[in-house]
Amino acid sequence: MIETPLILLDGLFFAASIYLMLSRHIIRILIGVALLGNAVNLLLFVAGRVTREIPPVITSDVLPATAANPLPQALILTAIVISFSFFAFLMVLGYRAWQTLKTDDTTGMRFAEPADEPAPPEGY
């Protein structure tokens, strides 16, 4: 079965993307977001059955039971467009933040907090 290696690869993509998005640096967060988009697309692809099937062309009144489901492919195409546009928007925001603040470290981007006051509580 080809689905098992794809599922393992998808789990690896999810784990790597979550690890990268927990980083403090903007470029790692951006790479994690891009990887998460690809992981979701691969998850939709695997969920829609990987094997070859009969194309969903209806020639008679009854659709064959082994006909391919076109919904996952349509969802993947939509997800590719949305994830790419989201990634491009985040890249522009990250680049603009780097231009303004001269750092890609998120702890150095605490621009709005006053420097002479104590830090806010991090948890309860």
Side-chain angles (χ1 to χ4, degrees):
M1 292 301 240
I2 195 166
E3 283 101 6
T4 304
L6 287 177
I7 290 170
L8 293 175
L9 181 67
D10 198 31
L12 183 68
F13 276 9
F14 273 109
S17 66
I18 289 171
Y19 174 75
L20 288 172
M21 286 193 300
L22 291 176
S23 175
R24 292 180 6 184
H25 297 280
I26 292 292
I27 191 68
R28 288 184 182 179
I29 295 171
L30 289 176
I31 292 171
V33 168
L35 205 56
L36 182 66
N38 288 325
V40 170
N41 292 340
L42 186 61
L43 179 69
L44 289 173
F45 183 67
V46 172
R49 286 179 259 156
V50 180
T51 59
R52 280 191 197 172
E53 296 180 10
I54 299 171
V57 178
I58 301 172
T59 56
S60 63
D61 293 340
V62 180
L63 185 65
T66 59
N69 187 0
L71 184 61
Q73 284 82 15
L75 287 174
I76 290 172
L77 286 176
T78 305
I80 287 171
V81 171
I82 290 171
S83 66
F84 182 73
S85 62
F86 185 63
F87 179 68
F89 179 69
L90 287 180
M91 273 184 41
V92 169
L93 281 180
Y95 181 68
R96 184 71 180 133
W98 179 79
Q99 275 185 330
T100 304
L101 302 171
K102 301 293 183 202
T103 183
D104 70 335
D105 191 0
T106 54
T107 57
M109 292 183 171
R110 295 187 173 195
F111 186 72
E113 296 177 13
D116 54 345
E117 292 186 11
E122 295 182 358
Y124 296 100

